[in-house]
Structures are given as C-alpha cells and as structure tokens.
Amino acid sequence: MPGIEFANLAPNIGAEVRGLDLSRPVAAAEMAALERALADRAVLLIRGQDITPEQHIAFSRQLGPLEDHVLSNFCLPGHKEIFVVSNIIENGKHIGAFGGSKQYHSDLAYLDEPSLGSVFHCLECPEEGGETSFVSMSAAYAALPEERKRWLQDKKAVFDYVWHYERTHRDRPALTDEQKAKVPPIAHPVVRTHPVNGVPSLFLTEIWIRRFEGMDDAESQKIVADLLAFATGPEFIYVHKWSPGDILIWDNRNSMHKACPFDETGTRRRMHRTTVTGTRPYFEAAA
Ligand SMILES: [Fe+2]
C-alpha cells in the first residue's frame, strides 16, 4: 500500500497529500494513487517541499510530458520547462510573468489539446492576497438539474482566442496573421469525461468562449454566464492561501482557477510552474 495519506481541503474539491518527499522519485504505486486523487479532487497540496528546479521537473515528468512555454523570456534560465510567475523586478526587468488571469479559466482551453494540468511551487508569497481560487467543474456539473445535463451533453462551445483578444486587449499590440493562424477557433464538448475516473465535468471558462456551435453569440453567452454563476457558488470552490514550500498540482480537465489580487508593488511573490501536456477533450455517455 502507498505510504501516503489524503485529507480533503474543502467539501467538493482539493486534498492535502501527506507523507511525500518530492526530492526523491515517487514510487509507481504512489504515483497511481496521486493521479487517481487528482482526478477525484482536482487540486492536490503537498506542503513543505524544499526542492530544486531539477527535482520539480523530474516529479512533474512523472505525470506526463511537459510543455515548453511560448513566453521563453519568462522561463527559468537553463530550465525551459519551468515558467516563472512573479511580480519581482530585478535589474529593471520583470523576472517572470505577472498579473495572472483574474478570471476563471482552464489553461490553454482554446487549443485543440489543452494542458492536462500544472505543478506550482511557491518560493515567496505575500502575507495577504495572492491566493489562487479553484472551482470543481465535476461537482458543479453533478449538481445541475438532470434536464440541463442532458441539454448540455451534445453541445460544443467554440473557444475563440483571437475574438477574445481583440475585444479585451485593445491596449496591447494587434496579433499578427502568423499568431492568429496558431489559434483558430476550436469547438470542445461542454461536458467532458475525465480519462482517469470517467467522471463528467463542465468544460467552460469565463474567457475565450464565443458561442455554442449552432447558436448565436448573445444567446450562447447568456447561457454560459448562467452556468458559470452556478458553478462558482461557494460549495464548489477552494481558495488556496500560499506558504513558501507549497506544491500545488491542479487538473485542467475538471476545474477552473483564477489568481486573486495582492499588493503587486509592495510585496514579493515568486512561483515556479511546470505544465503537463494534455489530450483532446471528449465526452462519453455513461454506460
Ligand atoms: Fe491559469
């Protein structure tokens, strides 16, 4: 039996994992238990991990192949797998990406194969603010009326990165044709089956969704807004208050997350993130 224990962090989402030391390879039986717990709880917390970037990468690889981030200027020097998320400025330059999305999303949901999940390591964090808030989209889906679930099961949502960018980032440079070509609109099932435990989840986000396939924008967005208002009810949420040494693993296949604000000019926040490559979302009706 694996020598690790799980304790729930909130009723519907999150578990703390005790008895793991990520400075050493995790045994196959323990990895299987972690992967199952990640599917069931969407967010796993492992406290007190004083690990090197190499150990962070080695553990993340046990979950799957890693992505190299497109913003290579914010990767840890010498470690293209580690994306630095920080508000800190050194020698006049930001050392990492800052101002993470304050709207609920699932990472890279606008791609054909969105990320499986991320492994976040907290190195420095403010005393107040800067939390990360998570929503269980499997618990939210399970709580919907049966009629609503049936209606959603054959729907697809069109994620349109360029459309979203052009209406919200008027202050940023326009996307080039080459950039636009990399992110064409993509339709994903609104109800997504988790490949590990077979549990269905809502697959929606507060950003990027333009419409349901076959419906117009305004009508679709009203329905998406109603569903997200329901999904972000307090019973489906876990808000993580960070401490240095925390490792948080989240699953993009059954949850959304957002960054909470903090004093970005008077405090220091420094995180290392790896991202595990995902596969195309699908829906499989229960037998
Ligand atoms: Fe994110």
Side-chain angles (χ1 to χ4, degrees):
M1 284 294 289
I4 53 176
E5 290 178 2
F6 298 94
N8 288 349
L9 292 165
N12 281 309
I13 179 167
E16 181 176 348
V17 188
R18 297 180 189 139
L20 263 186
D21 174 1
L22 299 185
S23 68
R24 292 196 294 251
V26 179
E30 291 182 331
M31 275 316 294
L34 278 185
E35 284 172 314
R36 177 67 199 216
L38 184 64
D40 291 343
R41 303 297 302 173
V43 177
L44 299 180
L45 166 65
I46 310 160
R47 295 187 202 270
Q49 301 298 308
D50 182 16
I51 56 171
T52 64
E54 290 79 8
Q55 289 162 345
H56 182 175
I57 292 167
F59 169 66
S60 306
R61 282 213 175 106
Q62 290 195 264
L63 290 165
L66 303 185
E67 292 172 2
D68 299 341
H69 204 282
V70 282
L71 296 177
S72 54
N73 50 327
F74 289 142
C75 290
L76 191 66
H79 299 286
K80 64 186 185 323
E81 302 88 347
I82 291 192
F83 188 61
V84 180
V85 177
S86 182
N87 64 321
I88 297 169
I89 296 173
E90 280 174 4
N91 303 320
K93 273 177 36 185
H94 277 276
I95 64 164
F98 49 95
S101 179
K102 307 287 192 291
Q103 290 177 291
Y104 279 116
H105 63 281
S106 170
D107 294 322
L108 306 188
Y110 51 82
L111 296 184
D112 190 40
E113 297 186 335
S115 320
L116 181 152
S118 275
V119 181
F120 235 65
H121 186 208
C122 175
L123 300 155
E124 291 180 74
C125 55
E127 293 273 306
E128 285 191 26
E131 301 91 345
T132 308
S133 182
F134 296 91
V135 178
S136 170
M137 295 298 264
S138 54
Y141 177 73
L144 284 171
E146 289 303 320
E147 194 183 329
R148 196 57 157 165
K149 289 184 196 172
R150 274 194 300 277
W151 187 85
L152 290 166
Q153 282 176 7
D154 62 1
K155 297 289 176 296
K156 285 192 168 186
V158 177
F159 290 73
D160 191 334
Y161 181 91
V162 175
W163 165 82
H164 172 74
Y165 187 98
E166 291 182 343
R167 67 205 289 266
T168 54
H169 297 309
R170 298 208 171 97
D171 52 327
R172 295 193 195 170
L175 294 172
T176 64
D177 288 343
E178 193 185 346
Q179 286 172 315
K180 288 182 184 178
K182 287 183 182 159
V183 280
I186 181 107
H188 287 309
V190 173
V191 185
R192 175 178 191 179
T193 300
H194 198 292
V196 173
N197 61 6
V199 173
S201 288
L202 277 176
F203 190 54
L204 295 172
T205 60
E206 288 187 339
I207 41 183
W208 308 313
I209 295 180
R210 182 164 185 173
R211 58 182 167 80
F212 291 124
E213 241 178 19
M215 288 173 62
D216 73 38
D217 290 11
E219 187 185 11
S220 303
Q221 282 166 37
K222 164 100 178 58
I223 297 169
V224 171
D226 286 349
L227 286 165
L228 291 173
F230 176 79
T232 53
E235 64 270 43
F236 307 124
I237 287 182
Y238 168 65
V239 180
H240 184 63
K241 171 144 188 58
W242 293 95
S243 297
D246 285 352
I247 287 267
L248 209 68
I249 312 168
W250 73 74
D251 193 326
N252 278 314
R253 299 166 294 187
N254 55 10
S255 67
M256 299 188 294
H257 59 274
K258 70 173 180 180
C260 299
F262 68 103
D263 174 4
E264 301 223 12
T265 52
T267 61
R268 291 167 64 93
R269 188 175 190 266
R270 187 161 59 98
M271 313 286 210
H272 283 176
R273 186 184 88 190
T274 54
T275 304
V276 183
T277 305
T279 51
R280 183 188 289 217
Y282 63 92
F283 173 67
E284 202 170 74

